[in-house]
Amino acid sequence: MLILALFCRPISARCSDNSGPYKISLLTCGPGQEVYSLYGHTAIRVQSPETGDIVVNYGMFSFKQKNFILRFVFGLTDYQMGVMPFDVFMEEYREEGRWVEQQQLNLDSVECRRIIAALMKNYEPENRTYRYNYFYDNCTTRARDILINNLNGKVSFIDNHKDTSYREMIHSMNESHRWARFGNDLLLGVKADFKTNNEQQQFLPEHLMKDFDHAKIVSGNNERNLVSGKMQILSAQSDSGSESGWFTPMLCAIIFALCVLIIILVERTKHKTLWLFDLVWMLADGLAGLILFVMIFSQHPTVSVNLQILLLNPLSIFFGLKAVWKLRKGQVHWYLKAHAVCIVAFLFGAISQSYAEGMIVLALSLLVRELYLIKSHE
């Protein structure tokens, strides 16, 4: 509590350029082992006589928050700004084996006071909580904005961004975590495949760090580097590893496809329908579809329009039992034909949306199954 009290004390007017008693730096942290830490982290380091050596962190949250999972699904997750001693912050990352790089900012006295005053204002109880959004308003964009919006001039970034989408960017960070990537891709919709500009790409900590490296502060005819010095203050002792191993989403999809082919061969040999298999996949399809249906109402902008709902269709949970009952009587329910049409539309939708790993294989498997059932029961 002492460090928080110190942080809220008035800041004196003395602040010398670069080497004075006040130093403000951007901290960029490497990825961790947990799903929520795969993409790294950003914080602000403040060094001053009044506050000591502290870290301002916009990534504070708790799984113990009431209805945390539901709030996260609907895009209603609240994060908080936190303040902690630098040593405590570093110890956490040292224990997790994650790297930390520091970029000391090239600030004058007025800019020092502005940023510290803005941080103090932001830390007031009524201001410290904000509505988190991973792509648009997260711990990295918050740190960036409070720094560049309180400078004596405008920050000019070199626009060397790649023509890439939000989905492709997070793929670069979770490539070895196939199931985490599968979960992300299952929930992300068409908007996640839109191309991003340089500013939008700064939601990732490492992208912001690289942009800060070459940024200039422009004021009239004068310009100076945004960063006066950079150093690695903690080396990585481990990497983010791989959580998937050999058991991947694609392997699961291939196994399901083989099961479909085997069941069709058995049915053709024994001249009977193994309807229990169809009941199971229809119910599973419907349950997964309900999750995607719920995401339509989420405040996450990139999940509302998701063509994967054509395959994982919530209607399957309502019409699956009736469809199977018809199959047992040697008849075809209209929903089997309707779902087959939806699958075809899903396959064409791959032109505009990247699907989760294995979804194309799953779609083709179900299409083959439904076409076989339609043909054999008509």
Side-chain angles (χ1 to χ4, degrees):
M1 295 301 296
L2 177 60
I3 191 69
L4 304 186
L6 289 173
F7 186 66
C8 294
R9 287 177 56 182
I11 302 297
S12 66
R14 56 193 179 88
C15 180
S16 303
D17 298 353
N18 297 324
S19 60
Y22 289 91
K23 295 180 181 178
I24 298 177
S25 306
L26 184 76
L27 300 180
T28 303
C29 312
Q33 299 283 350
E34 301 296 336
V35 172
Y36 60 83
S37 66
L38 290 178
Y39 310 98
H41 185 49
T42 300
I44 300 171
R45 183 181 184 184
V46 177
Q47 297 166 275
S48 77
E50 288 84 4
T51 66
D53 195 352
I54 62 172
V55 173
V56 179
N57 177 8
Y58 284 93
M60 306 296 288
F61 71 95
S62 173
F63 290 116
K64 295 181 180 179
Q65 293 178 19
K66 187 177 180 180
N67 300 320
F68 179 85
I69 300 300
L70 283 177
R71 291 178 63 85
F72 181 83
V73 168
F74 285 103
L76 302 175
T77 309
D78 289 331
Y79 273 42
Q80 283 192 346
M81 172 190 181
V83 180
M84 65 185 68
F86 175 74
D87 291 342
V88 174
F89 180 84
M90 290 300 297
E91 184 59 30
E92 177 183 345
Y93 283 85
R94 186 176 292 106
E95 290 179 357
E96 296 178 3
R98 299 165 64 180
W99 58 263
V100 178
E101 290 205 14
Q102 173 178 287
Q103 292 165 295
Q104 185 174 327
L105 303 184
N106 186 18
L107 307 179
D108 61 30
S109 60
V110 174
E111 291 165 333
C112 285
R113 293 196 299 272
R114 281 180 182 174
I115 291 174
I116 295 175
L119 290 171
M120 291 168 58
K121 179 69 174 177
N122 217 182
Y123 193 65
E124 293 176 358
E126 65 272 20
N127 298 330
R128 68 180 65 164
T129 300
Y130 70 99
R131 184 56 47 83
Y132 176 86
N133 185 286
Y134 179 62
F135 290 137
Y136 305 112
D137 193 359
N138 65 12
C139 58
T140 300
T141 61
R142 285 262 162 171
R144 175 199 65 191
D145 292 346
I146 205 163
L147 291 174
I148 69 175
N149 290 338
N150 290 283
L151 301 178
N152 183 24
K154 182 179 180 181
V155 175
S156 175
F157 293 105
I158 297 178
D159 192 357
N160 58 358
H161 76 282
K162 297 180 180 178
D163 192 20
T164 186
S165 66
Y166 284 120
R167 192 189 306 273
E168 291 168 337
M169 291 180 69
I170 63 175
H171 277 189
S172 68
M173 303 297 295
N174 61 20
E175 187 172 358
S176 61
H177 291 251
R178 303 275 285 277
W179 284 105
R181 185 175 66 180
F182 175 82
N184 288 335
D185 286 341
L186 194 62
L187 297 181
L188 291 175
V190 174
K191 293 181 181 179
D193 293 297
F194 291 172
K195 297 305 179 183
T196 55
N197 59 36
N198 194 67
E199 180 181 354
Q200 290 170 326
Q201 292 181 13
Q202 291 174 353
F203 81 96
L204 277 180
E206 289 188 48
H207 280 257
L208 182 64
M209 177 181 69
K210 292 176 182 177
D211 282 354
F212 264 43
D213 277 338
H214 306 288
K216 304 285 187 180
I217 302 174
V218 180
S219 180
N221 295 324
N222 300 319
E223 70 174 30
R224 54 194 159 97
N225 294 331
L226 175 60
V227 174
S228 61
K230 181 178 180 180
M231 63 180 295
Q232 186 171 69
I233 53 179
L234 189 62
S235 300
Q237 301 301 316
S238 63
D239 56 40
S240 56
S242 173
E243 58 146 23
S244 52
W246 59 270
F247 190 68
T248 64
M250 180 59 75
L251 178 59
C252 289
I254 293 173
I255 291 174
F256 180 81
L258 292 175
C259 289
V260 169
L261 294 177
I262 292 172
I263 286 174
I264 290 175
L265 290 174
V266 171
E267 289 177 337
R268 288 177 61 85
T269 302
K270 295 190 175 183
H271 304 288
K272 62 184 297 186
T273 300
L274 302 179
W275 55 268
L276 184 60
F277 173 76
D278 298 296
L279 178 62
V280 171
W281 76 252
M282 283 188 183
L283 292 179
D285 183 79
L287 288 172
L290 283 178
I291 296 175
L292 298 188
F293 178 75
V294 166
M295 299 306 292
I296 294 175
F297 306 98
S298 173
Q299 291 190 18
H300 290 297
T302 52
V303 302
S304 56
V305 181
N306 190 343
L307 299 182
Q308 291 172 116
I309 200 171
L310 293 169
L311 174 62
L312 304 179
N313 199 315
L315 296 178
S316 294
I317 202 169
F318 300 106
F319 296 108
L321 188 59
K322 293 182 178 180
V324 170
W325 181 256
K326 284 280 190 177
L327 288 175
R328 293 189 66 185
K329 296 169 64 175
Q331 301 172 349
V332 176
H333 192 272
W334 64 265
Y335 182 68
L336 276 181
K337 297 179 181 179
H339 194 255
V341 172
C342 287
I343 291 178
V344 173
F346 164 86
L347 293 172
F348 277 105
I351 298 173
S352 58
Q353 178 179 335
S354 297
Y355 296 142
E357 180 181 344
M359 293 296 286
I360 297 293
V361 174
L362 176 63
L364 292 173
S365 303
L366 291 181
L367 184 60
V368 168
R369 177 60 179 169
E370 290 178 335
L371 292 178
Y372 171 78
L373 290 173
I374 293 169
K375 182 179 179 181
S376 61
H377 287 77
E378 284 189 338

